[in-house]
Amino acid sequence: MKSTYLLSLAFLSLSFLVSTSALAAPSFSDGINVYTSQDGGVYTTTWTAYPMTIEGYTGANLKKPDNLLIALTADGKTSSFRGVLSITCSSPISSNIVSDTDYKSLKEAMADYTLPRPVVNNLFAKFCK
């Protein structure tokens, strides 16, 4: 009976330590801010990227990401964009929006103001190093 009591006490102590360390663990990323536009007065639009997967590599030892899927969201006054982009670092002209109301190249998306140019520039700067 005494050993069962000690075992229960040890289990409770261990559970307390595990739950305490879980509370202290850092949280997962909430995305990567790629651009915030000032939309007049106190209004802004924040563009956030969520890396999904790397589909291909390039470089001397195939260590540099080349083909990536990135979820992109915009929250604010001028846009509520939600989509998935296929980024090709070695050939930016081949990059596309692959999930949105319509499939289009990033060049077309910048031309019709679906995506601001600074958003696209910052995506390549952050993910195609």
Side-chain angles (χ1 to χ4, degrees):
M1 173 108 170
K2 191 172 187 178
S3 64
T4 306
Y5 173 75
L6 290 176
L7 184 61
S8 297
L9 187 61
F11 179 75
L12 288 173
S13 298
L14 182 61
S15 298
F16 174 75
L17 290 174
V18 169
S19 67
T20 303
S21 63
L23 289 174
S27 62
F28 289 105
S29 172
D30 292 328
I32 299 167
N33 182 339
V34 291
Y35 181 64
T36 301
S37 64
Q38 298 299 319
D39 302 328
V42 296
Y43 300 106
T44 61
T45 301
T46 301
W47 294 80
T48 307
Y50 301 88
M52 295 171 61
T53 187
I54 299 172
E55 296 182 315
Y57 291 87
T58 189
N61 295 327
L62 296 178
K63 292 184 178 181
K64 184 179 176 184
D66 188 38
N67 299 344
L68 303 101
L69 284 179
I70 300 170
L72 182 67
T73 65
D75 292 304
K77 180 156 177 80
T78 60
S79 182
S80 59
F81 178 85
R82 301 281 184 271
V84 176
L85 294 98
S86 174
I87 302 290
T88 305
C89 297
S90 61
S91 178
I93 196 76
S94 301
S95 300
N96 299 296
I97 298 174
V98 294
S99 162
D100 188 30
T101 54
D102 55 2
Y103 178 93
K104 63 175 93 172
S105 72
L106 294 188
K107 183 177 179 180
E108 292 170 320
M110 288 185 293
D112 69 10
Y113 302 105
T114 301
L115 299 177
R117 183 170 294 279
V119 170
V120 175
N121 291 344
N122 290 346
L123 281 169
F124 280 92
K126 288 189 184 291
F127 296 106
C128 294
K129 296 177 185 176

